[in-house]
Amino acid sequence: MSQILKDIIHYRGDQLFNGAVDLSWFLNNIQKSHKAAEAFVFHGPQYHGVSQNDIGVSHGHHLQDTVTFTNSVIKRCYGEEDQPFTLAIAGYGTGKSHLALTLANLLSKPDANISKNILSNIEAVDLNIGKEIRLKLLENNKPCLVVALNGMQSFDLTAEISKQIYKKIRDKNIDTKPLDDLRPRFKYAVRILSYLKDSSKKELLDFCHISDLEDVLESLNKQDEHIYSQVHKFLTIQGIPIQAIGGESIKDLIATISNEYCGKDKPYQSLVFLFDEFGRYIEFATTRSQIAGSGVLQDLYEGIQSYPDIACFIGFIQFELNAYVQRIPSEYK
């Protein structure tokens, strides 16, 4: 009896995620993030649907399966390789965001159940590489400090990186003083608000459209840039400007994290930037530098370059970098 395709193949609709996975889930939807990471289907060196001949050799890029790629990332994050920069180039719909989300979960919680399930998925495809990765994570028994960036979002890069890092440090109840010292304007703003008269505090709440002053103070303690901006505007109107003092560049931030929080006898193994849709953000940062921040990508590059044994960058793009350069208006090139 002949069979038709629908009798042989069944699609897991609950694991398709409407056709798209968002790296931002790692930050704002833990349950969905875990579910997607556990559903990622790895391909190993012996199980790969594309060959080097299919993509050519003239461009100089090396074809790599996701299991080998993951192993390479683990080695770099745990100090076995000293190449801090990696770019994964693959077309639309090939699973870059899904892989980035899976790596974010694996690196940030190597001893959690989610990581054990991810490792089982790797071992199902390539047992030897899977065991090698599992052993590496067990030997170090330390998470990486993961910064997950979705380049489709139009954010101030320094502020976004600072916000994510500060939240992770606070959530683990680790002393934030080195970060506070790096950006003292937030603590200074809190101190100024404590001296305001009750009538001025009421005006501030109305200005910020917030009902409780404690919410404002808590946001400032979390280094929330939006609330700080509102408070700064209000205090400036009142004739009490806040001066931005201290080092607040991405380079300063990377230096502080590398020296204070990562490495031997520190809470984190390394600082890892997972940057999805990096090509799109390059275009945005070039043409909208007033939002992204002036020179922030160069700052990021130099900061990582200064600490290659601690910081590493994994970018996910759809085309070669030159293709993005060609799409940028000539006045910005």
Side-chain angles (χ1 to χ4, degrees):
M1 180 183 295
S2 62
Q3 291 181 306
I4 58 178
L5 193 60
K6 72 178 183 66
D7 295 326
I8 303 172
I9 297 177
H10 172 67
Y11 289 100
R12 287 288 304 274
D14 62 316
Q15 296 187 356
L16 291 178
F17 306 101
N18 295 315
V21 171
D22 186 349
L23 179 58
S24 302
W25 295 345
F26 177 69
L27 306 172
N28 54 38
N29 194 328
I30 295 176
Q31 183 177 1
K32 203 169 185 178
S33 171
H34 286 184
K35 186 175 181 180
E38 291 175 330
F40 184 77
V41 178
F42 286 91
H43 291 78
Q46 304 303 319
Y47 177 53
H48 199 267
V50 183
S51 69
Q52 188 72 44
N53 290 334
D54 293 323
I55 65 169
V57 295
S58 60
H59 44 64
H61 300 303
H62 177 61
L63 179 68
Q64 197 170 71
D65 60 88
T66 51
V67 167
T68 303
F69 178 78
T70 299
N71 193 25
S72 177
V73 168
I74 295 294
K75 287 180 179 179
R76 292 176 184 185
C77 294
Y78 285 89
E80 286 194 4
E81 294 183 1
D82 59 359
Q83 171 53 263
F85 299 101
T86 301
L87 278 181
I89 307 172
Y92 177 78
T94 51
K96 297 185 299 300
S97 301
H98 203 164
L99 176 58
L101 182 64
T102 304
L103 289 173
N105 281 282
L106 180 62
L107 292 168
S108 63
K109 302 173 183 176
D111 58 348
N113 287 332
I114 175 65
S115 292
K116 294 175 183 176
N117 293 334
I118 294 171
L119 289 170
S120 295
N121 291 340
I122 294 174
E123 290 173 340
V125 176
D126 193 295
L127 184 59
N128 291 332
I129 296 180
K131 286 183 175 180
E132 182 181 344
I133 295 174
R134 188 184 293 272
L135 181 60
K136 176 58 60 182
L137 295 178
L138 286 174
E139 284 178 347
N140 289 277
N141 193 31
K142 188 187 293 186
C144 297
L145 180 54
V146 175
V147 177
L149 301 164
N150 181 354
M152 294 302 295
Q153 298 173 350
S154 302
F155 46 70
D156 177 315
L157 186 59
T158 304
E160 178 64 23
I161 292 174
S162 298
K163 180 181 72 173
Q164 288 193 33
I165 288 177
Y166 201 86
K167 183 178 186 305
K168 292 178 185 298
I169 298 295
R170 279 176 59 96
D171 287 350
K172 288 181 72 71
N173 294 317
I174 300 171
D175 182 19
T176 61
K177 187 177 185 304
L179 293 176
D180 294 336
D181 292 344
L182 192 65
R183 310 179 81 200
R185 59 189 169 96
F186 289 92
K187 293 294 183 184
Y188 184 48
V190 170
R191 191 160 62 249
I192 290 177
L193 295 188
S194 68
Y195 297 135
L196 292 180
K197 296 179 180 180
D198 289 343
S199 58
S200 296
K201 291 178 181 178
K202 177 64 169 60
E203 291 178 17
L204 169 67
L205 294 177
D206 292 339
F207 185 85
C208 296
H209 303 291
I210 296 177
S211 59
D212 192 337
L213 183 63
E214 288 301 318
D215 292 336
V216 175
L217 299 177
E218 178 64 16
S219 295
L220 289 173
N221 284 325
K222 291 180 179 179
Q223 299 197 353
D224 186 306
E225 287 284 0
H226 174 69
I227 294 300
Y228 175 83
S229 176
Q230 295 294 97
V231 171
H232 184 276
K233 289 178 183 177
F234 175 80
L235 292 177
T236 300
I237 293 172
Q238 302 299 313
I240 318 173
I242 305 175
Q243 299 298 322
I245 53 178
E248 296 201 21
S249 71
I250 295 178
K251 286 177 66 176
D252 295 323
L253 184 60
I254 291 175
T256 299
I257 293 298
S258 299
N259 291 323
E260 301 291 339
Y261 297 103
C262 297
K264 187 177 180 181
D265 301 323
K266 304 290 177 58
Y268 295 100
Q269 176 67 30
S270 58
L271 172 62
V272 182
F273 294 92
L274 291 169
F275 210 135
D276 193 24
E277 296 291 351
F278 180 56
R280 187 268 171 188
Y281 195 83
I282 290 175
E283 296 179 76
F284 169 75
T286 302
T287 59
R288 304 290 296 278
S289 61
Q290 73 275 18
I291 299 175
S294 178
V296 287
L297 292 179
Q298 181 71 15
D299 223 23
L300 176 63
Y301 177 83
E302 292 180 358
I304 295 172
Q305 192 178 45
S306 299
Y307 293 88
D309 56 333
I310 293 292
C312 60
F313 173 96
I314 301 102
F316 297 85
I317 60 178
Q318 292 189 34
F319 314 103
E320 294 185 47
L321 287 177
N322 284 339
Y324 293 98
V325 173
Q326 296 304 317
R327 286 162 44 163
I328 293 173
S330 59
E331 62 267 26
Y332 294 102
K333 288 185 179 179

